Amino acid sequence: MDFEINENQRMIAATIKDFGEKHIKPKMMEWDESQKFPVDVFKKLGELGLMGVLVPVEYGGAGLSYTEYVTAIVELSKIDGSIGLSMAAHNSLCTGHILTFGNAEQKKKYLPKLATAEWIGAWGLTEVNTGSDSANMLTTAVADGDYFIINGSKNFITHGISGDVAVVIVRTGNKGDSKGMTSFIIEKGTPGFSGGRKENKLGMRASETTELIFDNCRVHKDQIMGKLGEGFAQAMKVLDGGRISIASLGIGIAKGAFEASVKYSKEREQFGKPIAEFQAISFKLADMATQIEAAELLTYQAADMKNRGLPMKKESSMAKYYTSEVAVRVSTEAVQIFGGYGYTKDFPVEKYYRDSKLCTIGEGTSEIQKLVISREILK
């Protein structure tokens, strides 16, 4: 594995830093307060190639690797975790699923629109009563000639209202059968398909999270990805890559909180000197920096394995598990370093603190990651 930062990564980091100063920082707290999903920002990110990082150039994407993809999410999440999360969900879940499992016609039809952010993508697996237990989902698709009639709902879906197209995994077989689920591509405007209630969240508030509702939604069999019954297996493979996304998100949040803490600790004086000179603070910073470095190594290792087409279920789960917990620890310490100011919205770390918790829950909780890791090492 090559740890040298390549030219593409440097260019992406510089581009996002400039983009963030102009288009994210001025309004991000306003979006956070109002829970506004800033669609226009993602259209602009699409123009930069950041909504189709992994999509081949022939489909209008940037044609880059997971290494550059990690860098892009990290840099966006240092500024605003909500923007990093939505960019990651669009790239790795909806777009990634079609890129990996779509047929030639499906790729030709959907990838150019998704890669440029002409369309925003959503991805639906979770339901109210089936979070980690997705094999027992209740949303069903029943065959009706050349069509399937879908009924049920999904929840905690990123871009469930604003998304133009969604990849959804629904039950086409027996409940509890991992081979009884199938993936469908469904466009906004399809009769019987709509967004539902929007969640009022602790953090990541500018990243839209809603229900998806299916009420006798009629979908042609051509919208199936792969074969009937392959949906669950596809979803698990998509989530292997998605865990790298959440790990990258965690790194970005942790780095943002850490950099703000270093700056503040050099400026804030108590007892006649900067608080950075007190061992209690400097040791916190040392722990934070070390944990971030370790998280980056785990994440870039998983990304490197993904680039080379190697199995990386264990490595991506380790990266997701460790990095998400680091994001929470680092942002918690950042609030402590800021003291009373860390608890106010006038300073940046309270938002990193709120946003960080999602990393330990989304795309498989920390407990699920430990289950995956333990199964892999005990094979």
Side-chain angles (χ1 to χ4, degrees):
M1 179 180 171
D2 184 4
F3 293 101
E4 187 71 29
I5 296 174
N6 64 44
E7 190 56 38
N8 283 334
Q9 288 175 281
R10 290 191 184 91
M11 181 180 68
I12 288 169
T15 298
I16 290 175
K17 183 177 181 181
D18 181 61
F19 181 90
E21 291 292 335
K22 293 178 181 176
H23 301 294
I24 300 176
K25 284 186 177 181
K27 290 191 174 182
M28 68 182 194
M29 292 309 294
E30 177 186 325
W31 300 333
D32 185 76
E33 290 289 336
S34 64
Q35 288 209 108
K36 179 184 177 181
F37 176 59
V39 175
D40 60 315
V41 168
F42 293 95
K43 300 291 186 183
K44 290 183 176 73
L45 287 172
E47 293 171 7
L48 295 175
L50 294 173
M51 297 296 274
V53 179
L54 303 168
V55 176
V57 175
E58 65 184 287
Y59 296 117
L64 299 173
S65 75
Y66 258 80
T67 306
E68 288 84 8
Y69 177 54
V70 168
T71 298
I73 299 174
V74 168
E75 294 301 321
L76 279 173
S77 304
K78 279 170 63 175
I79 303 165
D80 186 346
S82 296
I83 305 301
L85 173 61
S86 277
M87 176 270 196
H90 173 94
N91 273 276
S92 72
L93 298 180
C94 180
T95 306
H97 199 140
I98 296 171
L99 178 62
T100 306
F101 296 105
N103 59 36
E105 287 302 311
Q106 289 167 343
K107 290 179 182 179
K108 184 178 178 181
K109 181 177 181 180
Y110 293 108
L111 290 180
K113 292 181 178 180
L114 289 164
T116 57
E118 177 184 346
W119 281 12
I120 301 295
W123 191 79
L125 177 65
T126 300
E127 298 182 7
V128 172
N129 295 313
T130 56
S132 301
D133 186 18
S134 55
N136 278 307
M137 65 174 57
L138 299 177
T139 302
T140 58
V142 178
D144 180 25
D146 287 340
Y147 289 81
F148 282 80
I149 309 301
I150 303 177
N151 281 287
S153 64
K154 300 287 180 179
N155 78 328
F156 297 133
I157 307 305
T158 306
H159 314 146
I161 293 173
S162 298
D164 299 283
V165 63
V167 172
V168 296
I169 298 90
V170 300
R171 185 158 59 83
T172 50
N174 295 324
K175 186 178 178 182
D177 180 6
S178 63
K179 295 182 179 179
M181 289 169 277
T182 302
S183 301
F184 289 82
I185 307 173
I186 309 179
E187 296 178 24
K188 177 186 277 188
T190 302
F193 175 53
S194 62
R197 184 174 70 92
K198 185 175 180 178
E199 301 293 342
N200 187 9
K201 300 178 296 182
L202 168 71
M204 301 292 192
R205 289 170 60 82
S207 178
E208 180 182 275
T209 306
T210 77
E211 293 175 311
L212 285 179
I213 297 172
F214 306 91
D215 182 10
N216 291 317
C217 178
R218 190 175 175 84
V219 182
H220 196 272
K221 65 181 182 181
D222 287 348
Q223 298 302 104
I224 291 174
M225 270 194 290
K227 296 178 182 177
L228 207 66
E230 292 182 342
F232 182 79
Q234 291 175 7
M236 294 304 102
K237 289 180 181 177
V238 168
L239 287 173
D240 283 346
R243 287 168 183 147
I244 296 174
S245 300
I246 301 298
S248 307
L249 181 67
I251 292 170
I253 291 170
K255 279 192 165 187
F258 171 72
E259 289 175 9
S261 298
V262 170
K263 182 175 183 294
Y264 181 79
S265 67
K266 290 179 177 179
E267 296 171 350
R268 171 71 165 167
E269 291 192 0
Q270 292 286 273
F271 306 103
K273 60 182 178 180
I275 62 171
E277 295 184 17
F278 292 99
Q279 192 177 78
I281 302 300
S282 64
F283 276 19
K284 284 183 187 297
L285 295 172
D287 283 337
M288 293 157 79
T290 302
Q291 291 171 51
I292 290 169
E293 290 265 354
E296 283 190 291
L297 290 172
L298 278 171
T299 303
Y300 278 107
Q301 173 186 247
D304 178 65
M305 294 176 74
K306 180 74 173 173
N307 286 338
R308 291 188 284 148
L310 299 174
M312 32 63 80
K313 182 182 290 289
K314 181 188 74 174
E315 288 76 12
S316 67
S317 286
M318 284 180 168
K320 196 274 187 188
Y321 164 54
Y322 183 75
T323 301
S324 60
E325 295 292 339
V326 164
V328 172
R329 287 198 297 270
V330 168
S331 60
T332 300
E333 290 287 49
V335 171
Q336 199 69 18
I337 289 170
F338 274 73
Y341 294 115
Y343 205 64
T344 71
K345 292 183 182 292
D346 294 326
F347 288 79
V349 292
E350 68 84 29
K351 185 175 185 301
Y352 291 121
Y353 179 71
R354 287 185 291 110
D355 288 348
S356 68
K357 190 57 192 169
L358 182 277
C359 298
T360 70
I361 299 169
E363 296 193 35
T365 63
S366 289
E367 290 72 26
I368 286 295
Q369 304 314 313
K370 287 191 274 190
L371 181 65
V372 172
I373 295 163
S374 62
R375 283 177 175 172
E376 289 296 305
I377 62 179
L378 292 171
K379 275 183 176 179

